[in-house]
Amino acid sequence: MRGTIVTPLILIAGGAALLVHNLFPEISFFSLVVQNWPYLLIAWGALRAAEILLRFNQGKPLPARGISGGEWGLIVFLTLSGSAFVFGTSMKNRLWSGEFGNRGILIFSDSYEFPINAEAACPAKARVVVDNRRGNVRLVGSDTDKIRVNGVYKIRALDRTAAEQIYQKLKLELTTQGEQVVVRSNQERAELESSVEANFEVQVPKGVSVDCEGSYGDFDVNQIAGDLEVRSANAGVRGQDIGGKVRVDLNRSDIVRLQRVKGTVDIKGARAGDVELDGIEGTVTVDGAFDSLDFRNIASLLRFTSRTTELQVEKILGRVSLSGGELEAERLSGPVRLRSKSKDVRISGFYGPIDIDLDRGDIELAPDTAKLAQIQAKTSGGEVTLFLPNDAKFDLTARTEKGEVQNDFGSPLRTEDFERGGMIAGSTGGAKVVLETRRGTLRVSRGGSWSGRDGAPPLPPLAPKAPVPPTVVER
């Protein structure tokens, strides 16, 4: 069929996908391709069918072949490439999880369970070290003077006799060395370490500190008065009611959730999923690549750093949410400082100075007080909107090089149009406010809240998520 629009549309779709990746580098382009490539074949087939129906309705002769030989070759290429992406991702995850070991693939084995039970005296302010290479650990502080461990080993082997032989080599160790108590599952003693998982719950005195280390599995820690430290290659981390400081160092993770922590929080992740922090009294430092972040009720300084974004907030009375190419925040106490390559920013109800500098993205600001602190908001490409209370005190200068200016606030602000841009300026005797955009509309309005959020109730607290049961591991 000559004159088909399918090939141009494929080129447009491919170019659009690459453009989105360039504009929003925080979006995983590879993951999108792996998950959605079959839609390209569906769209292709639908377009060709529509073309044939259109020719039929117009009374034109139908093509002898619906798809040319070259297009069949492209279809085969896309199918093989897409399948290879999916297979490669699956193998990567399975290799990472240890499903493939040094001794081969555990496809002919069965899973057998064996009990874990141990108990020992534990000093009230001991440091409890948990070394569990694979499997989930739940640790709970309670009114006790002992440490108790209960759970199961899950061992994959060709038969139960072989599994029992591995179990005899393991035997969870619970040893006390002065003020330190060590819980070690000894999975490295198995010939194939990836064939063993240890899932257990540890009960300890509330006053202890906890040090967790593993390669693959989740850690859930509750109600301890001391510090918490977690180091793992791949783990979900949940912590509630921690009296000391928290340090989490991960390579990969699906979630890091911390609630009601009295000390500082330090999180590092090379590539992780979600971070949710609520009710942190100490300083918070987050460094790494994350799919989404949700910060609520942070009483001290927050610092977040990634490859594309730097954020610093003096105090979070409400919430800050970062997901994809958006940052949305409510009730912040400044100074606030944000640097990002690509981000749409909405901040409402803030107090204190604010400084925003974007390479690309829209900015919407709505201070919650008439007595403004210094505001500086700049974007190279995007719209800038400022909502001001009726009695706000400010000294404003706003400029766009290429775009419109809209003064919805009225007097004493005045507008001035240039050849391609414009300026808004005026003063009521307050702090310096500077707004800049190179390409985009610039708007100043009354109201003190961004569009669509007037009178909106405060965001509800995070709903608690049930912890992963210690006897089940699903990956």
Side-chain angles (χ1 to χ4, degrees):
M1 182 187 299
R2 295 185 179 183
T4 177
I5 64 171
V6 172
T7 303
L9 287 178
I10 291 176
L11 294 175
I12 292 172
L18 294 173
L19 179 60
V20 169
H21 177 63
N22 290 336
L23 295 179
F24 305 99
E26 65 274 7
I27 299 177
S28 176
F29 178 72
F30 182 79
S31 298
L32 290 176
V33 172
V34 169
Q35 296 173 3
N36 301 303
W37 70 268
Y39 287 116
L40 183 60
L41 297 182
I42 295 173
W44 190 345
L47 286 171
R48 296 311 297 265
E51 289 178 346
I52 293 174
L53 290 175
L54 181 62
R55 293 176 67 91
F56 177 78
N57 290 333
Q58 293 175 344
K60 297 180 180 180
L62 298 180
R65 295 181 299 172
I67 298 178
S68 66
E71 288 178 313
W72 275 116
L74 183 56
I75 291 173
V76 172
F77 173 76
L78 288 174
T79 303
L80 293 177
S81 299
S83 300
F85 282 145
V86 174
F87 179 78
T89 302
S90 174
M91 291 301 100
K92 176 183 176 182
N93 293 336
R94 295 171 73 181
L95 284 168
W96 188 265
S97 67
E99 185 172 344
F100 294 119
N102 297 329
R103 302 293 300 274
I105 306 175
L106 300 173
I107 58 176
F108 301 109
S109 61
D110 291 320
S111 180
Y112 302 91
E113 294 188 357
F114 299 88
I116 295 175
N117 294 288
E119 181 178 306
C122 182
K125 295 185 179 181
R127 184 169 189 84
V128 177
V129 180
V130 180
D131 183 356
N132 190 44
R133 303 292 181 88
R134 291 176 54 84
N136 297 335
V137 176
R138 185 170 187 267
L139 192 146
V140 181
S142 62
D143 296 324
T144 181
D145 59 355
K146 294 184 178 181
I147 178 171
R148 298 182 177 91
V149 184
N150 295 282
V152 295
Y153 279 113
K154 294 179 67 176
I155 301 174
R156 298 192 66 86
L158 295 177
D159 53 44
R160 188 167 188 84
T161 300
E164 288 178 349
Q165 293 175 352
I166 296 174
Y167 175 60
Q168 294 302 321
K169 295 178 181 179
L170 302 177
K171 293 297 184 182
L172 180 135
E173 290 182 3
L174 183 54
T175 59
T176 303
Q177 303 170 350
E179 293 294 315
Q180 179 171 287
V181 181
V182 180
V183 181
R184 182 174 289 112
S185 57
N186 295 319
Q187 290 153 318
E188 69 278 2
R189 294 180 181 177
E191 293 184 9
L192 183 57
E193 184 178 321
S194 61
S195 66
V196 180
E197 291 180 359
N199 305 301
F200 52 87
E201 179 175 298
V202 184
Q203 189 178 74
V204 298
K206 289 184 177 180
V208 304
S209 294
V210 178
D211 188 341
C212 300
E213 185 169 359
S215 298
Y216 188 80
D218 295 344
F219 293 97
D220 188 344
V221 181
N222 299 278
Q223 299 179 359
I224 63 169
D227 301 336
L228 169 62
E229 185 167 355
V230 178
R231 297 179 302 278
S232 179
N234 191 337
V237 179
R238 297 169 177 84
Q240 300 86 33
D241 300 306
I242 309 299
K245 60 185 179 182
V246 176
R247 180 179 177 85
V248 178
D249 193 345
L250 306 170
N251 188 22
R252 298 181 64 87
S253 174
D254 57 347
I255 187 170
V256 177
R257 168 188 274 264
L258 301 173
Q259 295 176 295
R260 299 179 297 280
V261 177
K262 292 187 176 181
T264 61
V265 172
D266 187 355
I267 300 174
K268 293 183 178 180
R271 180 64 192 173
D274 301 336
V275 173
E276 299 176 0
L277 306 182
D278 187 4
I280 312 299
E281 297 184 19
T283 300
V284 174
T285 304
V286 181
D287 186 355
F290 303 94
D291 293 337
S292 69
L293 301 104
D294 198 299
F295 305 115
R296 304 192 186 208
N297 305 313
I298 309 299
S300 298
L301 181 67
L302 164 73
R303 297 189 188 94
F304 166 64
T305 305
S306 71
R307 184 170 58 89
T308 61
T309 302
E310 294 182 10
L311 173 65
Q312 183 169 305
V313 183
E314 186 68 23
K315 185 184 296 185
I316 301 175
L317 305 175
R319 175 191 183 191
V320 173
S321 177
L322 295 93
S323 180
E326 295 185 351
L327 183 153
E328 185 171 313
E330 297 183 33
R331 299 181 62 210
L332 307 184
S333 177
V336 177
R337 184 178 185 273
L338 172 65
R339 299 289 184 270
S340 183
K341 291 184 177 180
S342 178
K343 196 78 67 179
D344 289 334
V345 178
R346 294 180 175 180
I347 303 178
S348 177
F350 60 88
Y351 309 82
I354 189 165
D355 182 4
I356 300 174
D357 193 341
L358 308 178
D359 289 350
R360 187 183 303 107
D362 299 337
I363 302 174
E364 294 186 13
L365 301 175
D368 200 29
T369 176
K371 188 177 180 180
L372 302 182
Q374 182 174 335
I375 297 175
Q376 183 164 331
K378 178 181 178 181
T379 178
S380 295
E383 298 183 358
V384 178
T385 304
L386 176 64
F387 295 90
L388 294 172
N390 292 329
D391 55 349
K393 302 299 182 182
F394 55 82
D395 181 7
L396 183 141
T397 302
R399 181 186 298 270
T400 176
E401 295 183 13
K402 297 179 182 179
E404 297 181 357
V405 292
Q406 299 178 9
N407 175 18
D408 298 330
F409 188 87
S411 179
L413 296 182
R414 64 185 185 278
T415 62
E416 182 179 349
D417 293 327
F418 305 142
E419 181 179 356
R420 295 185 179 180
M423 182 177 71
I424 302 175
S427 176
T428 58
K432 193 74 173 178
V433 178
V434 179
L435 311 177
E436 296 181 30
T437 176
R438 293 184 60 187
R439 298 180 304 277
T441 300
L442 196 151
R443 179 187 177 199
V444 180
S445 182
R446 294 180 184 269
S449 63
W450 70 67
S451 55
R453 294 304 299 253
D454 293 339
L459 293 170
L462 291 171
K465 294 183 180 179
V468 179
T471 58
V472 178
V473 178
E474 295 183 0
R475 294 289 179 187

